[in-house]
Amino acid sequence: HGTGSAQADNAALAMRLQGNEHGKQLQILAIDVSASLDLKELCTKICRDVPMLLSSESCTVSLRNQSLDERFTTFTRTGDATECNENVIDELAEHVLSSGLSASGVGTANVTEGASVSDALATKLGLGAYLAVPISDLDGECMGVLRVAHPLPADGTAVTGFTNDDKCQLEEFTPFCAVAIQNAEIFATALLECKWSNVLLELSRNLFEDLESKEGIISKIMVNAAALVSCDRCSVFMIDFETKELFSELFDAKVDEEEDPYAPK
């Protein structure tokens, strides 16, 4: 969506929520997020929808990076913009996932003696107040954290923390987020497998189109191999089985983007 279209969607969703009781609002938001199969679009929607439910000033979805411990992909919405960052350290998300329980805290201008871990984290991160809930799959495995927050005022004045009702509402919403995220991940995996199948079919077709010259075949091998792993240069070393030399011929080529057989058309 363009900016104007996105703003129109936001306004339309806000009007649908207006005047409805909590259960109906939750149903509307659950349907809204479940309609997205693109993970980035989905998390952007979640970050947009949750502040409408809880009247928070910012919302963050932190998804655990399965390949890097203590790293997250975060989506943060403040105002009308959502920012995505990959492979970041998120202390608050790690704090919530380590316990598997929801957490809330109220920040102050300076960390005070005897402050709880949650309150100290809020102060450290410059948050006036926050509420964070783990996002768990159907097996109870934590895949990320959903967080709402108010910034710490510049003058350091206290901010009213989130209530237990807010916590209950957010905990009711996160299961819908978890199912939607899993669906988006399954869809992304299916798309990737489809892409690789198409790549292999295209590779086979390209290689066997021209069997007249060794140089032509090797040139196609280099172009396709470079495209598969998104690199700029590819080399092929030909082993000489008679002399047992490491290679008898060396083919080397710089692959231009125009030659990429899998580049978007």
Side-chain angles (χ1 to χ4, degrees), residues 114-194:
S116 67
V117 174
S118 296
D119 288 349
L121 267 176
T123 300
K124 180 180 179 180
L125 298 173
L127 301 176
Y130 77 85
L131 171 63
V133 174
I135 302 172
S136 302
D137 61 22
L138 296 177
D139 297 323
E141 186 73 22
C142 291
M143 65 176 74
V145 172
L146 177 58
R147 179 177 84 222
V148 290
H150 298 305
L152 185 67
D155 58 7
T157 54
V159 174
T160 302
F162 290 93
T163 66
N164 191 59
D165 283 344
D166 294 331
K167 174 175 171 287
C168 291
Q169 289 186 54
L170 200 58
E171 288 179 341
E172 287 177 354
F173 185 58
T174 49
F176 298 105
C177 297
V179 171
I181 289 170
Q182 280 191 300
N183 287 342
E185 290 176 340
I186 291 170
F187 183 69
T189 300
L191 283 181
L192 186 60
E193 290 176 353
C194 182

Side-chain angles (χ1 to χ4, degrees), residues 46-58:
I46 293 173
C47 289
R48 177 200 66 182
D49 292 357
V50 171
M52 295 184 187
L53 189 66
L54 297 182
S55 300
S56 62
E57 294 189 43
S58 70

Side-chain angles (χ1 to χ4, degrees), residues 11-237:
L13 182 62
M15 287 188 64
R16 289 172 60 201
L17 293 174
Q18 204 169 30
N20 284 306
E21 48 90 23
H22 167 65
K24 182 62 176 177
Q25 289 181 335
L26 193 64
Q27 181 183 15
I28 291 171
L29 295 181
I31 292 173
D32 184 55
V33 298
S34 64
S36 297
L37 286 174
D38 178 80
L39 188 59
K40 185 173 183 179
E41 178 187 301
L42 167 63
C43 291
T44 299
K45 271 189 176 183
I46 293 173
C47 289
R48 177 200 66 182
D49 292 357
V50 171
M52 295 184 187
L53 189 66
L54 297 182
S55 300
S56 62
E57 294 189 43
S58 70
C59 179
T60 299
V61 176
S62 298
L63 299 179
R64 188 195 290 276
N65 189 322
Q66 299 298 329
S67 59
L68 293 171
D69 292 338
E70 299 181 2
R71 297 278 176 164
F72 295 83
T73 297
T74 63
F75 299 84
T76 301
R77 184 180 182 89
T78 304
D80 293 328
T82 301
E83 180 181 1
C84 174
N85 293 293
E86 297 182 350
N87 298 329
V88 299
I89 295 175
D90 189 330
E91 290 183 72
L92 210 160
E94 192 60 43
H95 168 63
V96 172
L97 291 183
S98 63
S99 66
L101 302 173
S102 300
S104 61
V106 176
T108 55
N110 299 291
V111 178
T112 56
E113 187 176 348
S116 67
V117 174
S118 296
D119 288 349
L121 267 176
T123 300
K124 180 180 179 180
L125 298 173
L127 301 176
Y130 77 85
L131 171 63
V133 174
I135 302 172
S136 302
D137 61 22
L138 296 177
D139 297 323
E141 186 73 22
C142 291
M143 65 176 74
V145 172
L146 177 58
R147 179 177 84 222
V148 290
H150 298 305
L152 185 67
D155 58 7
T157 54
V159 174
T160 302
F162 290 93
T163 66
N164 191 59
D165 283 344
D166 294 331
K167 174 175 171 287
C168 291
Q169 289 186 54
L170 200 58
E171 288 179 341
E172 287 177 354
F173 185 58
T174 49
F176 298 105
C177 297
V179 171
I181 289 170
Q182 280 191 300
N183 287 342
E185 290 176 340
I186 291 170
F187 183 69
T189 300
L191 283 181
L192 186 60
E193 290 176 353
C194 182
K195 176 189 173 183
W196 276 105
S197 295
N198 289 335
V199 164
L200 293 174
L201 286 172
E202 184 70 13
L203 177 58
S204 299
R205 186 180 68 82
N206 285 341
L207 288 179
F208 293 106
E209 262 183 351
D210 176 16
L211 297 177
E212 294 181 1
S213 68
K214 179 173 67 177
E215 288 76 11
I217 294 173
I218 290 175
S219 177
K220 286 184 177 181
I221 290 174
M222 290 190 292
V223 169
N224 283 276
L228 282 173
V229 294
S230 301
C231 67
D232 298 325
R233 183 175 293 277
C234 182
S235 300
V236 174
F237 296 83

